[in-house]
Amino acid sequence: MAALVLFGGGGDLAMRMLLPSLYFLEHDGLLPDGLKIIGAARSDESREEYVARVRAAVESKAHADDAWSDAAWARLDARLDYLPVDATDAASLKPLKDKIGDMSADGGVTSFLAVSPSLYGRIVTALKAAGLAEASDRVVLEKPVGRDLESFLQIDDAVAHAFSEEQVFRIDHYLGKETVQNLIALRFGNTIFEPLWNSLSIDHVQITVGETVGVGDRWPYYDEYGALRDMLQNHMLQLLCLVAMEPPSDLDPDSVRNEKVKVIRSLRPITEHEAERVTVRGQYVAGTSEGRPAAAYSEERGQASDTETFVAVRVDIDNWRWAGTPFFLRTGKRLAEKRTEIVIQFKPVPHSIFDHRERGHIEANRLVIELQPEEDIALSVMNKKPGLDQRMKLQPIQMSLSWGQGDKDAKPPRRRIAYERLLLDALAGDSTLFVRRDEAEQAWKWVDEVSDAWRGAAFKPKEYAAGTWGPAEADLLLERGGRAWNTGHG
């Protein structure tokens, strides 16, 4: 019998994402036979009290997706257990070890650390001392691991002392999204795209992660990390890697991750002399968000701060495939829309045979991969307007490349929580969609250079009103090259 131990099993991440994901996997019959799921936390509550809280969290999500099943819950209930522990103390973990027993022959123990990363080092040390870091065991780490390269290495050295790299699964939940995985299929499963996937055909790439929510009472965490470390270092660089990487030799985990590391190593360093030209820092002030008044970040924090709640960066990749094709990344709180998307902007036709004034304006092809609020892939192409007009007129149309387009009667699959895929892979020992140590190390190194450039240039955040797309300087980042952010859908 294998075991999944959720450290921080009563916390927000576990109740909001992990346990509902496990329910949906149980509902679909995907959990391994005999898997035991143990919640572990400091809270001194009984198994019955814990399971009642889990049911309340799971049931609300399942009903929202019309996926509640008493039978599925009964099966998950039978797997669940709870144990109060201090995960940083090996002696406190002894009852957990006794409860689990010897599982080395049955897939081992997977420990998911849904706790503050500041505790990772002490927890993995305790796990090793308690006999929960054997060769068949695994550990799953939530981001962010550290806040810079130095702190990342300090934490990860402790992890490496307890677990080999093959046993460590660093999660970035964006990589569990169906559309992100479909990007790999789109690129490497179709000859129509890969020959064009380079600087000869692509003008630029945009990656946007926009949130309408403010920082609110999370400001102590956010004031330490800011948008650069919270979002760009992990989520956005991961998406960039999947867009920009070379074709791997196969889908072996290391083959894929080797190519991602090459991309990060090819990122052009940003110096303090170029910081103002290729980066934008912003912080929201009072405005209107989703039709309601929104306070400034300084009001939420209670005093002024230099923390950025918005960042936009021009990223250049110095290799043969992407030389001359910029990647524009932007992310922020209190923006105009909740939207996560990747825009592949192709170059215009080299010569137009159509008269623009009478035949319509020819727009360059654009591939938009939307991750939030919906998951969708759409390709914009030019098409003839229907009709018998003697002068051919053109119009852009959107071709959806999403699931089920060839079958109008097909019922779309349930939109899965990204953690479902990642939990299943971690339990199976498949690390393809997880971040390797050298990958995270290179990402922190590049982000630290950006942070150092800001500090050296005394680069302060620009103000932007809540409910807008960020500071005006973010638009100038593209306008200098005659480009513009995608502010529509498609």
Side-chain angles (χ1 to χ4, degrees):
M1 184 190 303
L4 171 63
V5 181
L6 302 178
F7 290 98
D12 178 69
L13 176 63
M15 290 293 176
R16 191 168 47 87
M17 291 291 180
L18 303 182
L19 288 157
S21 294
L22 290 166
Y23 166 80
F24 287 124
L25 292 173
E26 182 69 79
H27 179 275
D28 295 345
L30 296 173
L31 286 181
D33 293 339
L35 175 71
K36 192 72 175 173
I37 301 168
I38 303 173
R42 291 178 180 271
S43 176
D44 189 13
E45 58 185 325
S46 67
R47 177 196 179 275
E48 291 71 25
E49 291 170 326
Y50 177 71
V51 170
R53 288 206 296 131
V54 173
R55 174 167 181 154
V58 164
E59 195 168 359
S60 63
K61 275 196 178 279
H63 278 304
D65 283 338
D66 196 25
W68 177 256
S69 162
D70 289 334
W73 168 253
R75 296 196 302 272
L76 184 65
D77 188 337
R79 298 179 187 269
L80 288 170
D81 206 342
Y82 179 77
L83 204 63
V85 299
D86 176 359
T88 64
D89 181 2
S92 179
L93 292 175
K94 187 178 184 306
L96 176 63
K97 173 64 176 174
D98 294 341
K99 182 181 284 288
I100 291 171
D102 183 11
M103 296 187 174
S104 58
D106 300 297
V109 179
T110 300
S111 296
F112 194 119
L113 306 192
V115 298
S116 169
S118 62
L119 299 174
Y120 287 174
R122 294 165 61 194
I123 291 176
V124 294
T125 301
L127 288 173
K128 183 175 177 65
L132 292 168
E134 301 302 316
S136 61
D137 299 331
R138 306 181 183 104
V139 64
V140 183
L141 307 177
E142 259 289 338
K143 74 94 183 174
V145 181
R147 70 174 302 276
D148 52 22
L149 179 60
E150 182 181 359
S151 57
F152 166 77
L153 292 175
Q154 184 178 3
I155 294 170
D156 219 59
D157 284 348
V159 174
H161 182 70
F163 294 90
S164 68
E165 180 60 30
E166 291 72 25
Q167 296 173 277
V168 181
F169 292 73
R170 299 172 191 85
I171 263 192
D172 186 325
H173 71 267
Y174 269 48
L175 299 187
K177 291 181 178 292
E178 194 73 26
T179 310
V180 172
Q181 297 168 59
N182 203 21
L183 174 59
I184 298 175
L186 192 75
R187 281 194 61 187
F188 305 127
N190 299 282
T191 57
I192 191 173
F193 287 115
E194 186 54 27
L196 305 176
W197 211 264
N198 53 52
S199 60
L200 297 177
S201 300
I202 295 176
D203 179 79
H204 71 279
V205 176
Q206 301 177 21
I207 301 177
T208 294
V209 180
E211 299 179 271
T212 55
V213 297
V215 175
D217 57 9
R218 291 182 65 238
W219 72 261
Y221 160 82
Y222 209 82
D223 217 48
E224 182 180 1
Y225 284 81
L228 179 70
R229 293 182 172 91
D230 181 52
M231 292 297 294
L232 194 138
Q233 184 274 334
N234 42 77
H235 298 327
M236 303 195 77
L237 286 186
Q238 285 297 312
L239 296 178
L240 180 146
C241 285
L242 291 178
V243 172
M245 71 182 187
E246 295 297 319
S249 57
D250 51 41
L251 284 181
D252 178 79
D254 276 336
S255 297
V256 174
R257 298 191 294 179
N258 285 345
E259 299 306 330
K260 289 163 65 183
V261 171
K262 290 177 186 176
V263 173
I264 301 176
R265 286 178 173 163
S266 299
L267 300 183
R268 184 180 301 171
I270 293 176
T271 66
E272 65 180 83
H273 303 294
E274 287 205 317
E276 190 167 3
R277 185 180 68 85
V278 299
T279 73
V280 178
R281 296 183 76 201
Q283 184 183 112
Y284 62 83
V285 296
T288 302
S289 179
E290 299 183 309
R292 295 186 297 273
Y297 176 68
S298 58
E299 293 177 73
E300 294 172 337
R301 188 180 181 276
Q303 65 184 79
S305 164
D306 281 345
T307 300
E308 78 281 352
T309 61
F310 174 96
V311 60
V313 185
R314 172 184 166 138
V315 179
D316 288 277
I317 302 174
D318 290 332
N319 62 21
W320 276 35
R321 180 180 291 262
W322 296 113
T325 294
F327 285 64
F328 296 98
L329 281 56
R330 65 171 172 174
T331 183
K333 302 285 189 182
R334 287 288 186 219
L335 297 185
E337 291 179 39
K338 176 181 175 66
R339 191 200 308 174
T340 300
E341 68 179 13
I342 302 168
V343 177
I344 313 296
Q345 180 65 62
F346 290 91
K347 291 182 177 179
V349 294
H351 170 69
S352 173
I353 64 173
F354 303 98
D355 186 312
H356 290 185
R357 289 172 296 175
E358 297 184 17
R359 300 184 186 272
H361 178 68
I362 296 181
E363 298 179 6
N365 302 127
R366 174 180 286 187
L367 182 68
V368 178
I369 302 159
E370 185 180 351
L371 282 69
Q372 286 186 142
E374 302 297 330
E375 295 195 45
D376 187 32
I377 300 177
L379 177 64
S380 172
V381 298
M382 296 305 297
N383 196 37
K384 176 189 175 296
K385 282 187 177 181
L388 300 178
D389 195 309
Q390 288 185 329
R391 297 184 65 81
M392 184 185 295
K393 295 183 179 179
L394 303 184
Q395 64 181 358
I397 63 168
Q398 302 295 319
M399 298 176 59
S400 178
L401 306 181
S402 297
W403 184 92
Q405 292 302 310
D407 183 357
K408 294 182 179 179
D409 296 324
K411 182 181 178 181
R414 175 181 61 81
R415 186 178 179 188
R416 293 189 178 276
I417 303 171
Y419 283 96
E420 294 178 49
R421 169 82 271 161
L422 298 173
L423 282 167
L424 210 55
D425 285 355
L427 291 169
D430 185 344
S431 57
T432 305
L433 297 176
F434 295 83
V435 180
R436 205 168 60 191
R437 174 178 170 128
D438 56 346
E439 196 178 335
E441 188 174 336
Q442 288 295 324
W444 273 123
K445 180 181 178 183
W446 187 81
V447 164
D448 279 359
E449 289 171 348
V450 176
S451 182
D452 291 343
W454 285 350
R455 191 179 306 109
F459 201 34
K460 303 295 183 184
K462 308 288 186 181
E463 292 184 350
Y464 65 96
T468 66
W469 276 111
E473 287 79 1
D475 294 328
L476 292 174
L477 201 63
L478 278 77
E479 287 174 4
R480 292 190 192 103
R483 306 177 175 101
W485 291 106
N486 179 44
T487 54
H489 292 289

